[in-house]
Amino acid sequence: MTPSSFTGDPCLAAQVLTQYLRGDLPEGEHERVERHVSVCQRCALALDTFTDGEDDIVLRLRAPEASDPLESEAGCQHMVARLSALPRQPNRGRSHSHGSGDKFAAAWSRDTQSFASPQNSTGCRNDCNSAPLPEVFGRYRILRWLGAGGMADVYLAHDTELDRQVALKAPNLSIQQSSIERERFKREARAAAAIHHPQVCSVFDIGEHEGVCYLTMRYVEGQLLSSHLAAHGRLPAHDAARLVSQLADAVASAHERGVVHRDIKPANVFLDPQGLPILMDFGLASVDRRQEDKLTQAGAVMGTPAYMSPEQAAGQIEQVGPASDIYSLGVLLFEMLVGRPPFTGSASEVIGKILYLPPPKPTELLREVDSELEAICLRAMSKSPEHRYASVVEFRQALQNWLAKHDASKHDASLAPTRTPPRMRWWIAAGVASLLAIVACGVYSLVLHTPTGAIEVRFHDENAQVRVLQEGKVLEIIDASTGSQMRRLSTGRYELALVGDRNQFVVQPARVQLKRGDHVIVEILPVERSLVGNSEQEPAHPTAAATATSTGKLPLNQLDPSTVSPELRSQFLKTVPQNGELTLVGGISAESLQRPQAGMAPLEPPLFLVLSGDGATLAAMHPGKVVVIWDLATQQSTRYMTMPRYDTTMTLSHDGTILASAGGGWPVRVWSLADGMLQSTHEGHTNWVNTIAFSRDGKLAASSSKDGTVRVWDIVNRGNLWARPHGDWSRAVAISPDGLQVASGGQKGLVKLWDIASGKLIRTWTASTHPVLHLQFNPAKPTLAVKDETGALTVSSLTYGKPLLRVAMHPLTFPRFSPDGDTIAFATPEGELVLHDSALPTVRLRLPAPVKGAVLTPLGFSDDGRHLVVSDSTGGVGIFRLGSTPAP
Amino acid sequence: MNDHDILERDLGPTSLSLLVRVRGGEEQAWTKLVHLYGPLVYAWCRRWGLSPPDAADVGQEVFCAVWSSLDGFRRERPGDSFRAWLRVVARNKTNDFWRRQCQQEQSAGGSRAWQYLEASCEPPDEAEISRETTQLYRRAVELLTTDFEPATVAAFWRTVVEGQPAREAAQSLGLSLNAVYIAKSRVLARLREELAGL
């Protein structure tokens, strides 16, 4: 090295200089190097020869990227200013963090009150800081914020040139930011501006002011059709037909100009003070591509896709056209006639139904619906666009013909909005076979008092039982033993479920409405409880299922080998030799798994199957994150759900009443299978979730994630009990049968046992030399099965924390314990089904797969240990009874 | 200006990362954290469908939560980032907001809130993270101006942000080439330090 002329220090190596230039020197080095550089000419010159092109920070700072316009909104600046001004708490230390945090929060809420209110009608002028648009925006004066749509904020503004009030729409900044999106917005807005129709909310002006593009449109005073329907329920048939025909006329004039609405729904229709419909947001739906993406990729994201056409629900964007608008108008007509859209449920369920189920007939829900109107409605709602009306003009004509035939001018005024209290709905769960009996007189009666009146349910059969449920919880059970009861309920949605032998009950009438004047006060509707339309089968009602389990009735016991379908027989008897050890007593053929309901388009074969711990409920995940739940006792599908796009793993609770899903979306979601609704979301993981496990009672769940942590969740109180780093990331997690311990397995074969209550590490041991792929607690003995990535299976003692048994054969599938804990079932790579002793190196049963390439995968045992549920490589599921003596 | 003056006056706060300083109760660090991350949180909330006033409210709730649970955030692995944690907190608060909204809207028959509930569950894509990182650095640079001598900031700004050759920058600022490189190195070192793990 050459000595520097000034200091005598040796000059710096190129490597050191590069690091210095990047500001990336190790601690302590910087000062020494800087001292040298400050005086060494040679090194300064050397520095000058380096380029810093690859330095990430330099590149980012130099990039000509514009700043995020959202961040320059006044609301943002206001928030930051307040936040940074607030906590003058110099001693925020660890020990004080809680206290000072509380103080901070208190100071906060006091301080934010004035800020949070600018949405009200007068707030904005006093506090226009909160609006992202300045008070004076070009020729417009912004008066107040009206609302936000999926793609834009809408303001009430005053046009100072034309002296009129307008609704001014400024797209979201994600659109403003991108010049392509901005052009698209303007193009669509221009198309919408070209539509002139009294029933279309006119676009007045499109422009750009100081880099913000916007459009202004007619400011309509009135009521949203959605609010009107919510307040009044269904409409008289004549009004419904007239409204939809007027809307169809508006849509026709748009279609003529090549503009498709794509998002016709009650929330996009205003009723003006004369009761005439005004359709809003023409052609703009397509601008909001984000929304479409969400819909097509993750069904559960959108809450109410009820008005969406099948082609939209399937995400076939290129097929969305005029016929899609006809479909949506058909749904609108349906809802106005019946009082609810054709498909209800969670978003995911609705999307599934739109895609695969024929809509219910309006007359089935409400006998008085006119059959001609029903035919019009159903044709508009055909699944396939070519079966709908050829054009919206034709659809409108059909409605007008009907109107001409059924002239009822007396109804015309009834749509003018009036103020009435919202109606109360009584949803009566009349499951597949749990039917409601209302009879003229009887021995037992249930009187339900509501704030607006009372309803009495009487029945005169001692075998009948009525349950009052709210959100799946039983509030009241009335039967012969309880006698007549009176119950006072607050306003809300309840379910009345009738449990009993369905053959003894007939529902008559199917629908009950109590009206005051023209308004429905109480309405009793049958609710679809399952997708199974076949009334020959046992009810799949969750209440009924729960009862069966709690009384110790084991549903699989009742399966009769003689009733096994020929398809199932041919599927399994080929592969499973009937040597008396296993008897096929039921199952679901590969064909049925793909077609959960007759008449439905087939699903792709399932990606994987999950069995509940009691062996009675099966969940099948199909491509597209479609999950079908099957009741193995009836071998019928009971529910159909769509999981969020990122969820790749799922598990069922022991009793099969809840399902947990997770994956790349990071939260753990818990779904109730009673209603298919998302029950809770558990956030905390910051990376991919690999495995979830329930405790036996379904009250706790454990998850392991690529973020390196194992977390335990309180499902009931919706909290995260604890999170612990596994060390390396864990791909396997399990909860012990007593619910007291959690086991997790890591990348180097390390198994950790944790105390569930405290999160304390109880024991760590090495079970394998390879990453642990699966863990399962022995349900009856203190051992744990550990399967690693290479397939090696060991059984470890929980007491001593070491492996007791190494299974000589490498299982291909996850091992399953029998309920007595004595046996482990698994399949070998050769396709054999093996029942292995869980403590000794002994094979109890070995069934070679007679068909080459077939693999019999044990999914699990039934609670009584007498049945083994097996899937074979063709995708079918078989239920086998163990042992040679047939069950009673 | 003499190079040595810059050297003497520039010795700002210690080399602790911002988070450590916030945890230690340093008031300025909190202010800086809010300035750095506040806009990010606000923009998330807006993208997840909140109106400007709602976004500001929810953003405030997010920082309240951050304030009281910062000790709970630990970098357990090198990959864990404060931003990811912040995003989780923001997501929870936004979902809480929509859940409240849903309850109100359900009675009113609306459906807007449903569209957003869980809309924020999608993990950010790389482009988004990269864009956010860039904006974080840019804001960090703006905030650094209080910690350094104006000449240091100017030298840094010209050479890094504007890409001016060091020689030219030195000439126009009346500094030696050495001083320009020192300025550049110092500011970059501070940026790396402060944003470490964020």
Side-chain angles (χ1 to χ4, degrees), chain A residues 35 100 186 245 330 736:
Chain A
R35 220 178 305 126
S100 56
K186 283 196 217 159
S245 140
S736 65

Side-chain angles (χ1 to χ4, degrees), chain A residues 674-698:
Chain A
D675 54 11
M677 298 291 274
L678 186 64
Q679 189 176 303
S680 54
T681 304
H682 304 268
E683 307 253 8
H685 281 303
T686 54
N687 207 329
W688 206 278
V689 176
N690 303 293
T691 323
I692 332 164
F694 275 117
S695 63
R696 201 183 156 100
D697 60 8

Side-chain angles (χ1 to χ4, degrees), chain A residues 190-212:
Chain A
R190 248 174 255 132
I195 307 166
H196 295 288
H197 190 279
Q199 260 57 63
V200 173
C201 182
S202 343
V203 172
F204 291 151
D205 180 22
I206 306 155
E208 202 170 318
H209 178 69
E210 289 172 353
V212 177

Side-chain angles (χ1 to χ4, degrees), chain A residues 299-300 302-306 340-354 425 427 493 495 527-529 531 639-642 671-672 674-678, chain B residues 106 114:
Chain A
M302 266 287 277
T304 49
R340 68 160 177 97
F343 301 116
T344 54
S346 66
S348 42
E349 246 179 289
V350 169
I351 287 185
K353 289 177 183 175
I354 290 174
R425 274 190 186 176
W427 299 85
R493 241 175 95 163
E495 291 180 357
V527 169
E528 283 173 67
R529 268 324 215 163
L531 286 181
R639 196 149 289 284
Y640 182 103
M641 300 155 75
T642 312
W671 309 79
S672 155
D675 54 11
M677 298 291 274
L678 186 64
Chain B
Q106 258 174 352
W114 274 109

